[in-house]
Amino acid sequence: MSHKENQEEAELSIYEQSLKVAKAKGGEARRNVSRLSGEARLFDRPDILITAEGGRRMVGIEHFRVDHHIGRGKKVESKSARFSSDAERFRKRHEDAARRGALAEDAYQGLGDLISRAIREQSNACVGDISTSLDAGLFGKDGRGHVSKLDAYREKIMQIDADADIRLGFLIEFHTDLRQWFLNDGFKEIKVSLGRFPISCEAFELLKKASDYVDWILLAFCPLFGNEVRDAAIIRCNNGMFETSAARQGVIQTPYLGLGKKAPFGKQDRQGKVGFDVGNNVVDYLVENTSEQMDAIELFNNSISGAAEAFNLARRKKPFAATMSVQLAYDVAKDSLKHTSGNVEPQDVLKAIGGMNPSEKSARMENWRKHWGNDSA
């Protein structure tokens, strides 16, 4: 099978997985799967064509990928897609020797280099990169994104039947790793799991803007590597339905609080050197940490101001995502601040934590660490 054929089959798989995951969620997602139902087949510009009602209704779906790890060039290329390709080539090159237990030293070194590269790419990514990648896919730096091609997609479908009810949509495949973030949705606090993306305010506004041009937006949420759809939303866009349809599926604006939102936190200018030790049944790797030195004062001030913002959002029943330091400050201080009138300011958080009995504060921090299983808190 050619590279193009593999890519097309992968696109169709993402579409089919998205429908399956959305259908299982019930409610608006399930209803929209039914509304979108029809015979889906691979097409060319757009990528997928759905035919329903005996051909009287046709929906063209254009697919593109959005990444958490991106390059900084004009094309905003996916680093995670390239990493996956390189890792697969490495696997194929060494799998026969691995089966025979005859891996050479360069194979162990090569695996270590891949590990170090993955660490660097994660260290050099930030939440804002996801919106940058989404913006490039939808609108493009020079207005050459997929939105600008919708008229061409419609004309292509009209060549099949100009009298058909033709509709258009996007299938947007997100690849993210936000496991260092905590999500507070007004009901519970959870760690963001691999492949989940609580939609940032910036990404939400881009999707809302794009909804003016299409009838459907399908969101497929996947881990950074691999093509398994962990979550999905099927959003109606016509007649101004985007925000309502999205909200019914839990797709709402989520502010991100803490360092690592707009710029990488712990950026690495170079890939770390790798050492390894091969034992009988195990290989131990030691990867050099080349991250920038943490500014403790900046981290502390950001944690306090982020905790104040978190408290104000929670009071208004608004969701938010927080870094570990912001979440810790918020959780430790929130009981002391619950009777504060008006907006909570950073000095209120600082006063609440600073004025707390030392043993009480230590106990709260220890309980927090045990609850989340985080020894670095």
Side-chain angles (χ1 to χ4, degrees):
M1 190 177 289
S2 68
H3 173 73
K4 185 175 186 299
E5 289 172 331
N6 282 330
Q7 185 176 5
E8 290 173 342
E9 289 298 327
E11 291 168 349
L12 191 58
S13 173
I14 293 293
Y15 170 75
E16 291 171 344
Q17 286 186 72
S18 299
L19 295 189
K20 183 178 180 180
V21 170
K23 188 175 182 179
K25 292 170 69 174
E28 174 77 358
R30 186 184 185 92
R31 289 191 294 271
N32 287 346
V33 169
S34 297
R35 291 179 177 117
L36 195 58
S37 64
E39 182 184 348
R41 62 183 175 91
L42 293 168
F43 201 64
D44 182 31
R45 294 176 56 85
D47 297 311
I48 296 169
L49 184 64
I50 305 165
T51 305
E53 300 173 11
R56 293 188 300 275
R57 176 169 59 86
M58 289 188 281
V59 184
I61 302 292
E62 179 67 8
H63 162 272
F64 65 93
R65 175 172 172 147
V66 168
D67 277 277
H68 185 187
H69 293 184
I70 58 173
R72 303 298 171 185
K74 291 183 178 180
K75 293 184 178 180
V76 194
E77 67 173 339
S78 164
K79 283 189 174 182
S80 50
R82 186 173 62 187
F83 182 93
S84 294
S85 296
D86 291 346
E88 180 62 14
R89 280 195 292 270
F90 177 88
R91 184 191 67 81
K92 289 180 177 179
R93 185 163 63 248
H94 296 288
E95 65 178 342
D96 182 60
R99 288 196 185 100
R100 292 184 284 107
L103 283 172
E105 184 172 326
D106 69 310
Y108 293 113
Q109 181 64 52
L111 179 58
D113 290 341
L114 283 172
I115 294 170
S116 180
R117 175 179 161 189
I119 292 171
R120 182 178 183 231
E121 291 184 358
Q122 179 71 7
S123 298
N124 289 351
C126 65
V127 176
D129 289 339
I130 304 171
S131 298
T132 299
S133 180
L134 176 61
D135 191 13
L138 286 171
F139 301 104
K141 289 189 174 182
D142 301 315
R144 297 180 180 177
H146 290 291
V147 167
S148 68
K149 303 170 184 176
L150 288 170
D151 287 342
Y153 300 157
R154 185 179 298 277
E155 290 174 7
K156 181 77 175 291
I157 299 172
M158 286 179 65
Q159 293 176 13
I160 300 173
D161 186 349
D163 296 324
D165 177 12
I166 297 173
R167 303 180 187 186
L168 298 173
F170 290 128
L171 169 58
I172 307 175
E173 178 186 345
F174 287 88
H175 287 263
T176 60
D177 184 354
L178 297 168
R179 286 176 291 176
Q180 72 273 34
W181 291 84
F182 294 78
L183 175 64
N184 301 253
D185 64 3
F187 301 98
K188 60 186 181 302
E189 300 174 358
I190 60 171
K191 282 185 176 179
V192 178
S193 58
L194 182 63
R196 308 288 173 143
F197 174 43
I199 300 293
S200 66
C201 298
E202 296 79 7
F204 188 90
E205 288 301 319
L206 288 168
L207 292 170
K208 182 180 176 182
K209 181 180 176 182
S211 72
D212 290 338
Y213 300 92
V214 292
D215 302 286
W216 294 97
I217 292 180
L218 288 68
L219 305 179
F221 301 102
C222 308
L224 196 61
F225 307 114
N227 295 310
E228 178 192 356
V229 177
R230 298 283 179 89
D231 194 12
I234 314 296
I235 304 173
R236 284 188 289 164
C237 301
N238 52 359
N239 300 320
M241 279 293 297
F242 171 78
E243 289 189 82
T244 300
S245 182
R248 288 172 178 170
Q249 299 173 72
V251 177
I252 54 179
Q253 297 190 58
T254 304
Y256 280 70
L257 310 177
L259 298 176
K261 173 185 174 182
K262 296 182 178 179
F265 183 58
K267 183 179 179 182
Q268 295 188 354
D269 288 330
R270 65 176 178 83
Q271 189 169 310
K273 297 178 182 177
V274 177
F276 60 90
D277 180 54
V278 182
N280 290 330
N281 297 305
V282 67
V283 181
D284 294 318
Y285 282 97
L286 183 63
V287 181
E288 178 190 13
N289 181 7
T290 65
S291 294
E292 295 175 343
Q293 184 69 32
M294 180 188 300
D295 187 327
I297 295 177
E298 180 187 13
L299 177 62
F300 177 79
N301 290 337
N302 183 270
S303 301
I304 297 300
S305 61
E309 189 174 353
F311 192 89
N312 293 324
L313 287 166
R315 179 177 280 175
R316 300 198 304 270
K317 307 296 183 185
K318 299 291 185 182
F320 62 88
T323 58
M324 181 179 71
S325 59
V326 170
Q327 189 72 43
L328 174 60
Y330 167 70
D331 285 340
V332 168
K334 65 183 179 183
D335 284 344
S336 302
L337 293 170
K338 61 185 177 184
H339 298 302
T340 303
S341 59
N343 271 353
V344 171
E345 302 294 338
Q347 58 265 30
D348 298 319
V349 177
L350 193 59
K351 183 179 178 181
I353 296 176
M356 198 174 290
N357 181 286
S359 60
E360 179 188 357
K361 180 165 54 179
S362 296
R364 290 191 180 200
M365 294 181 71
E366 178 63 15
N367 288 337
W368 193 94
R369 183 190 67 78
K370 288 180 178 178
H371 176 73
W372 293 112
N374 199 317
D375 294 328
S376 62

